[in-house]
């Protein structure tokens, strides 16, 4: 993969800034590219030298953090970014779910469920784009593999983790310049930062190397956009779905110590545990967890904090637990089958925990220059994307004014 030199990137950024001054005279909106580096914590750029990110930030906008929805896991957050909806309105209340009406389970490894549109509620940004006369192309984004609202983006790809990083970029670039059906909105997704964080922990050398790899990719992306004459007319939003927290065997909670595990069925795993409870056992299980649990919070569904945006969906089960920072909630049987568990890093904690906050960087002709802004919730990005593309947003939970400082 070619690496853009510091001097050449400076030149490209200055050229882009010069053309940006004329963008308001164009009848068509500038293009928009939404890029996710899964598991890229808000502070990862401070861990190593990142010249390509730094130059985009210098001529764009960086926030002090992007606040995920609860649970701070991959599927709920990517789909909330796409729809501007909290999980209770998007339908994706976890990486794993049970729907009592469908009498069916959803998990991120179940391809049949992942591609089944009935699990996804609300309107994702690619549908908003297509409904209003523009074109979208999604390279790996949660929800984009299903025909939501009986429609699909102009181009989409079924997730395949073996596709090389640069090939993902090349494919989206080709969609932008397609002679017959060029797209106005595209997505990119990379999971290697999250993988390094899970396996080795957020403070590991492996995570530092993953950050450098992400930086090199941004250099390659800018180079390809410039080579195709797209750089000066493309707004880029670089995001992540959540951060990462170190975990260890020293901070382990076994629910067997408090309750009879035959009384519950696991729906979603630690640190945001969701449990279905055997009929007639809810109060007993809840009271035992409430009395003895010192390293987690526990709620009945109707007690969930409103800020979670989770309590009003039928898929939200009877009991929800949230581990305190760095703790893992599990069962004795699960741990005994996995001698090294838990180790490395994970996410899914309460979004108020700073280590769950994600990266946000924006750059482009319709983006402010050299500005650092306060952290904000990721659900507001849908409204921002609609504004950048000149679209009327569908019903959502976000507010455009929450992102006003991102625009000039």
């Amino acid at each position: 993969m070619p690496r853009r030199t510091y001097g050449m990137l400076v030149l490209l950024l200055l050229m882009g800034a010069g053309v940006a001054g004329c963008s308001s005279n164009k009848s068509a909106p500038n293009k928009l590219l939404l890029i996710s580096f899964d598991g890229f914590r808000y502070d990862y750029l401070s861990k190593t030298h990142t010249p390509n990110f730094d130059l985009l930030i210098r001529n764009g906008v960086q926030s002090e953090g992007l606040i995920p929805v609860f649970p701070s896991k991959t599927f709920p957050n990517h789909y909330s970014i796409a729809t501007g909806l909290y999980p209770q309105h998007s339908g994706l209340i976890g990486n794993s779910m049970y729907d009592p009406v469908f009498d069916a389970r959803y998990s991120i490894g179940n391809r049949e469920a992942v591609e089944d549109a009935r699990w996804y509620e609300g309107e994702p940004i690619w549908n908003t784009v297509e409904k209003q006369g523009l074109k979208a192309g999604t390279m790996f984004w949660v929800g984009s593999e299903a025909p939501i609202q009986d429609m699909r983006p102009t181009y989409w790809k079924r997730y395949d983790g073996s596709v090389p990083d640069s090939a993902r970029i090349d494919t989206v670039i080709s969609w932008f310049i397609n002679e017959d059906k060029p797209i106005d909105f595209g997505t990119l997704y990379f999971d290697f930062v999250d993988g390094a964080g899970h396996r080795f922990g957020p403070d590991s050398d492996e995570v530092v190397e993953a950050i450098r790899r992400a930086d090199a990719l941004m250099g390659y992306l800018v180079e390809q956009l410039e080579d195709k004459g797209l750089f000066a007319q493309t707004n880029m939003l670089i995001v992540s779905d959540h951060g990462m927290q170190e975990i260890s065997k020293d901070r382990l909670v076994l629910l067997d110590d408090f309750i009879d595990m035959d009384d519950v069925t696991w729906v979603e795993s630690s640190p945001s545990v969701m449990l279905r409870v055997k009929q007639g056992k809810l109060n007993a299980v809840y009271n035992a967890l409430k009395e003895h649990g010192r390293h987690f919070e526990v709620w009945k569904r109707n007690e969930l904090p409103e800020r979670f945006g989770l309590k009003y969906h039928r898929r939200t089960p009877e009991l929800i637990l949230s581990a305190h920072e760095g703790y893992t909630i599990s069962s004795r049987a699960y741990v005994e089958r996995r001698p090294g568990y838990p180790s490395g890093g994970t996410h899914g904690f309460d979004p108020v925990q700073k280590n769950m906050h994600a990266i946000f960087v924006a750059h482009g002709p319709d983006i402010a220059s050299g500005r650092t802004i306060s952290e904000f919730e990721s659900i507001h990005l849908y409204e921002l994307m609609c504004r950048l593309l000149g679209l009327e947003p569908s019903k959502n939970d976000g507010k455009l004014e929450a992102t006003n400082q991102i625009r000039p």
Side-chain angles (χ1 to χ4, degrees):
M1 178 187 303
R3 289 179 179 259
R4 172 64 63 188
T5 65
Y6 180 90
M8 287 299 292
L9 259 183
V10 171
L11 177 60
L12 293 179
L13 290 164
L14 290 174
M15 290 169 60
V19 175
C22 303
S23 64
S24 60
N25 297 323
K26 296 168 60 177
S27 57
N30 287 301
K31 296 182 182 297
L32 177 60
L33 181 55
L34 176 64
I35 307 153
S36 172
F37 287 101
D38 196 319
F40 203 114
R41 203 168 69 185
Y42 76 100
D43 61 344
Y44 273 5
L45 292 180
S46 66
K47 287 182 174 290
T48 188
H49 185 48
T50 53
N52 298 310
F53 276 110
D54 293 347
L55 282 166
L56 292 172
I57 291 168
R58 190 172 305 157
N59 293 274
V61 173
Q62 179 184 31
S63 78
E64 295 174 345
L66 187 63
I67 304 171
V69 300
F70 181 86
S72 49
K73 295 189 176 183
T74 295
F75 270 51
N77 275 279
H78 276 101
Y79 198 59
S80 285
I81 289 171
T83 60
L85 297 171
Y86 286 114
Q88 66 191 8
H89 296 141
S90 75
L92 284 198
I93 60 103
N95 281 349
S96 298
M97 303 178 284
Y98 170 77
D99 190 300
V101 173
F102 303 158
D103 189 22
R105 288 185 61 92
Y106 176 106
S107 65
I108 61 178
N110 182 338
R111 294 307 306 171
E112 183 178 354
V114 166
E115 297 180 24
D116 186 344
R118 64 181 177 164
W119 290 98
Y120 304 91
E121 299 172 9
E123 181 172 294
I125 182 65
W126 50 86
N127 280 12
T128 307
V129 168
E130 296 279 349
K131 284 181 176 182
Q132 297 183 42
L134 301 181
K135 297 192 182 301
T138 54
M139 173 59 76
F140 307 158
W141 200 276
V142 173
S144 66
E145 299 165 287
I148 299 168
Q149 299 176 326
D150 294 321
M151 63 184 299
R152 293 186 184 275
T154 298
Y155 307 101
W156 64 279
K157 289 288 186 180
R158 183 173 282 107
Y159 181 71
D160 180 356
S162 69
V163 176
D165 301 334
S166 58
R168 303 180 190 196
I169 291 173
D170 294 342
T171 298
V172 174
I173 295 291
S174 73
W175 294 341
F176 275 124
I177 62 174
N178 184 279
E179 290 185 3
D180 297 323
K181 296 179 180 180
I183 65 171
D184 305 278
F185 168 78
T187 72
L188 281 165
Y189 170 79
F190 305 98
D191 66 352
F192 56 84
V193 177
D194 183 69
H198 275 298
R199 186 173 181 184
F200 302 104
D203 297 320
S204 64
D205 292 340
E206 288 81 2
V207 162
V208 170
E209 182 55 37
I211 297 165
R212 292 172 181 158
R213 177 177 167 185
D215 187 70
L217 269 179
M218 292 312 303
Y220 180 73
L221 172 60
V222 169
E223 179 184 58
Q224 295 307 304
L225 289 170
E226 176 60 24
D227 287 346
K228 303 303 186 294
L230 294 169
F231 182 71
Q233 56 180 299
T234 301
N235 294 303
M236 291 185 285
L237 303 181
I238 306 162
V239 304
S240 185
D241 46 353
H242 51 70
M244 189 67 66
Q245 169 67 48
E246 185 179 359
I247 55 175
S248 72
K249 294 176 71 68
D250 296 331
R251 291 172 290 180
L252 178 61
V253 175
L254 300 177
L255 292 189
D256 315 53
D257 293 341
F258 317 122
I259 62 174
D260 183 344
M261 298 305 293
D262 290 334
D263 290 340
V264 299
T265 300
W266 291 78
V267 177
E268 180 68 295
S269 60
S270 187
S272 47
V273 173
M274 299 185 183
L275 301 174
R276 295 171 61 200
V277 185
K278 187 179 293 184
Q279 188 171 0
K281 296 289 186 177
L282 177 59
N283 286 333
V285 171
Y286 171 79
N287 290 335
L289 293 174
K290 193 78 171 176
E291 178 182 357
H292 299 293
R294 294 193 302 275
H295 301 299
F296 58 85
E297 303 298 321
V298 58
W299 303 276
K300 294 180 182 179
R301 177 173 50 207
N302 62 3
E303 297 174 340
L304 280 167
E306 292 290 339
R307 64 184 176 84
F308 283 172
L310 189 66
K311 72 192 312 185
Y312 298 116
H313 202 284
R314 68 177 185 268
R315 294 173 191 161
T316 303
E318 296 92 334
L319 283 184
I320 297 89
L321 287 70
S322 180
H324 291 173
E325 188 168 14
Y327 278 84
T328 300
I329 303 170
S330 191
S331 68
R332 200 171 304 281
Y334 187 91
V335 172
E336 287 176 352
R337 293 195 303 268
R338 296 163 178 81
Y341 178 85
S343 63
T346 199
H347 50 87
F349 294 96
D350 189 329
V352 300
Q353 296 182 19
K354 188 65 176 178
N355 280 343
M356 290 300 98
H357 294 187
I359 187 177
F360 175 82
V361 174
H363 179 278
D366 302 311
I367 304 296
S369 180
R371 186 176 293 173
T372 298
I373 65 173
S374 300
E375 59 196 12
F376 64 95
E377 291 184 84
S378 61
I379 58 160
H380 301 306
L381 289 173
Y382 172 80
E383 285 273 348
L384 172 64
M385 290 188 287
C386 287
R387 173 58 65 91
L388 291 172
L389 290 167
L391 304 174
E392 183 67 28
S394 182
K395 184 178 180 181
N396 68 91
D397 297 319
K399 296 179 180 178
L400 182 62
E401 53 265 33
T403 62
N404 278 347
Q405 287 189 297
I406 295 170
R407 291 174 287 119

